[in-house]
Amino acid sequence: MEVRDPIVLYNKTSFTIAEYLEFEKESEQKHEFYQGEIFAMAGAGARHNVIFSNLFVAIGIALKGKSCKPYGSDLRIHVAQNSLFTYPDISIICGEIVPSVEDKDTATLPSVLIEILSPSTHNYDRGGKFKLYRDIPTLKEYVLIESESIRIESFRLNQHNHWELEEYKSLTETFQMPSMNISIPVIDIYERTKL
């Protein structure tokens, strides 16, 4: 979950990427960076963590032995095309991790990004963040998972390079991730959430 108020430090409101990365090394909390501003990210709730665990395990099993691997929210992603540094809930990267020119511990070029939504983040994740993610040249799918209701929105690039939306709103459906050749029952994603 993110708090979308920029951080002001020492009466300074604009930062370089190098200053952000140095600040982030010293911080116990995660922060996002975009066009000179630093934004604090709040912790995730219990249901968010249950959904993350269910999905991460299912993806990991499905991709075992393949060249694509899932990574959790400790992996920072840099979108060099627009300056965004962020921590998606789940990133799937195919092949070797290509580090950011700005920081060797920050990855670039994910194929799939997944965000688990909360009331405080769903507008940003669905709108502004998706717009920034679309600048990633390797991105094939962007998935939004509601944590307060049964709803998954899966945006995928079609053969004409246009984003298409497929929604899942029932526990009886099977969520598809075509770019990874993965199918996961929606009921498995929401297991133990009491939804």
Side-chain angles (χ1 to χ4, degrees):
M1 292 185 274
E2 300 185 28
V3 180
R4 293 303 299 164
D5 292 321
I7 289 178
V8 178
L9 296 169
Y10 314 115
N11 295 320
K12 186 171 180 170
T13 56
S14 184
F15 301 85
T16 65
I17 288 174
E19 287 171 330
Y20 159 71
L21 292 169
E22 191 58 37
F23 171 74
E24 197 69 346
K25 275 184 200 163
E26 305 299 321
S27 177
E28 293 180 14
Q29 186 182 10
K30 293 178 187 168
H31 299 84
E32 200 173 70
F33 175 90
Y34 178 62
Q35 293 190 343
E37 291 186 289
I38 296 174
F39 301 89
M41 299 179 74
R47 193 176 283 149
H48 178 289
N49 283 313
V50 169
I51 292 168
F52 167 83
S53 295
N54 292 341
L55 190 57
F56 193 81
V57 167
I59 293 170
I61 290 169
L63 293 177
K64 187 169 182 174
K66 298 181 179 172
S67 66
C68 300
K69 302 283 179 221
Y71 298 88
S73 61
D74 283 337
L75 182 66
R76 185 170 50 221
I77 298 289
H78 179 209
V79 185
Q81 292 78 358
N82 58 40
S83 84
L84 178 69
F85 283 82
T86 188
Y87 297 85
D89 289 313
I90 298 175
S91 308
I92 299 177
I93 295 177
C94 296
E96 294 296 318
I97 291 179
V98 177
S100 166
V101 172
E102 306 289 345
D103 178 63
K104 66 178 177 56
D105 294 323
T106 302
T108 61
L109 306 178
S111 295
V112 177
L113 292 173
I114 300 171
E115 297 286 6
I116 301 165
L117 307 180
S118 66
S120 65
T121 66
H122 79 278
N123 287 338
Y124 171 58
D125 287 340
R126 187 173 283 118
K129 195 174 228 183
F130 183 32
K131 186 177 180 209
L132 297 174
Y133 281 165
R134 289 198 301 265
D135 285 339
I136 300 170
T138 53
L139 191 66
K140 295 179 178 77
E141 295 187 59
Y142 179 51
V143 181
L144 300 170
I145 301 177
E146 291 280 355
S147 62
E148 302 296 314
S149 62
I150 307 296
R151 184 174 181 191
I152 300 171
E153 294 172 289
S154 183
F155 295 90
R156 304 174 189 132
L157 273 181
N158 65 20
Q159 65 270 29
H160 303 294
N161 227 30
H162 296 129
W163 288 95
E164 291 181 343
L165 168 64
E166 183 169 2
E167 294 182 89
Y168 304 86
K169 298 179 182 176
S170 166
L171 292 175
T172 61
E173 294 179 276
T174 299
F175 165 64
Q176 305 288 335
M177 203 183 298
S179 70
M180 298 291 125
N181 197 23
I182 291 176
S183 300
I184 303 169
V186 172
I187 195 169
D188 291 355
I189 295 171
Y190 284 97
E191 184 185 8
R192 294 178 291 119
T193 61
K194 300 181 179 164
L195 287 174

